[in-house]
Amino acid sequence: MSLNELYREVILDHYRSPRHHEHLDGPDGTAEGKNPLCGDEVTVEVKLDGDAIIAIAAIGVGCSISQASASMMTEAVSGKDRREIGELVRKFKVMMSIEDSEEEIVDPDRPGAALGDLEALQGVRKFPVRIKCADLPWITLQQALAEVTE
Ligand code: ZN
């Protein structure tokens, strides 16, 4: 199986069986994101204990990239605190070429190698319109977190 086929399998798996796809009971923060270009919608709900996400939900409709990115994100940020999440968001945006990195990327062919399943989205970099699909859940997560005052 080639790397691209593997990436496609991972994306389809998250799209077909999205993780953390049930509404939370009494979330601390909620945000809704829309990507009108593609018709993607995602609602992100978070529950925090202090600084850390103890429960998260991402529920939405849209293309496989947006929904798979949402599902992968919920797994990646669960249990992490705001600082760790900020770091993860930055690494994701560097991998997707949304942000530049000052650091040297260890393997330019696999800039997302440390991001687990999220690495599967790096192929989307080649399609600028779809980058917005992949980024939508992350923008929405940051809005949901901003709603929660410490
Ligand atoms: Zn989309």
Side-chain angles (χ1 to χ4, degrees), residues 72-128:
M72 292 174 190
M73 177 189 78
T74 60
E75 289 201 312
V77 303
S78 287
K80 294 213 161 70
D81 65 26
R82 286 179 192 264
R83 191 191 56 76
E84 292 167 322
I85 292 164
E87 181 65 10
L88 192 64
V89 169
R90 202 184 57 79
K91 284 191 176 140
F92 176 74
K93 291 190 188 244
V94 168
M95 177 184 81
M96 300 302 290
S97 308
I98 297 166
E99 284 178 13
D100 289 331
S101 174
E102 304 278 301
E103 304 150 36
E104 195 182 331
I105 293 171
V106 181
D107 180 352
D109 291 332
R110 297 185 64 187
L115 288 176
D117 280 1
L118 288 165
E119 186 194 359
L121 290 167
Q122 72 172 29
V124 176
R125 279 184 307 172
K126 290 180 227 138
F127 309 99

Side-chain angles (χ1 to χ4, degrees), residues 15-150:
Y15 177 56
R16 291 183 186 133
S17 327
R19 324 302 199 250
H20 303 270
H21 202 245
E22 305 279 325
H23 280 289
L24 298 183
D25 194 16
D28 297 316
T30 303
E32 285 174 37
K34 282 193 169 66
N35 174 17
L37 278 176
C38 185
D40 306 319
E41 293 177 22
V42 64
T43 299
V44 175
E45 300 173 348
V46 289
K47 246 185 189 174
L48 277 81
D49 181 9
D51 222 14
I53 290 185
I54 51 166
I56 182 164
I59 297 132
V61 292
C63 70
S64 57
I65 301 298
S66 65
Q67 303 307 309
S69 181
S71 172
M72 292 174 190
M73 177 189 78
T74 60
E75 289 201 312
V77 303
S78 287
K80 294 213 161 70
D81 65 26
R82 286 179 192 264
R83 191 191 56 76
E84 292 167 322
I85 292 164
E87 181 65 10
L88 192 64
V89 169
R90 202 184 57 79
K91 284 191 176 140
F92 176 74
K93 291 190 188 244
V94 168
M95 177 184 81
M96 300 302 290
S97 308
I98 297 166
E99 284 178 13
D100 289 331
S101 174
E102 304 278 301
E103 304 150 36
E104 195 182 331
I105 293 171
V106 181
D107 180 352
D109 291 332
R110 297 185 64 187
L115 288 176
D117 280 1
L118 288 165
E119 186 194 359
L121 290 167
Q122 72 172 29
V124 176
R125 279 184 307 172
K126 290 180 227 138
F127 309 99
V129 174
R130 309 308 297 280
I131 292 174
K132 282 194 180 358
C133 302
D135 198 26
L136 177 70
W138 296 83
I139 295 169
T140 312
L141 169 68
Q142 287 174 298
Q143 288 167 346
L145 284 174
E147 252 197 22
V148 187
T149 46
E150 288 159 62

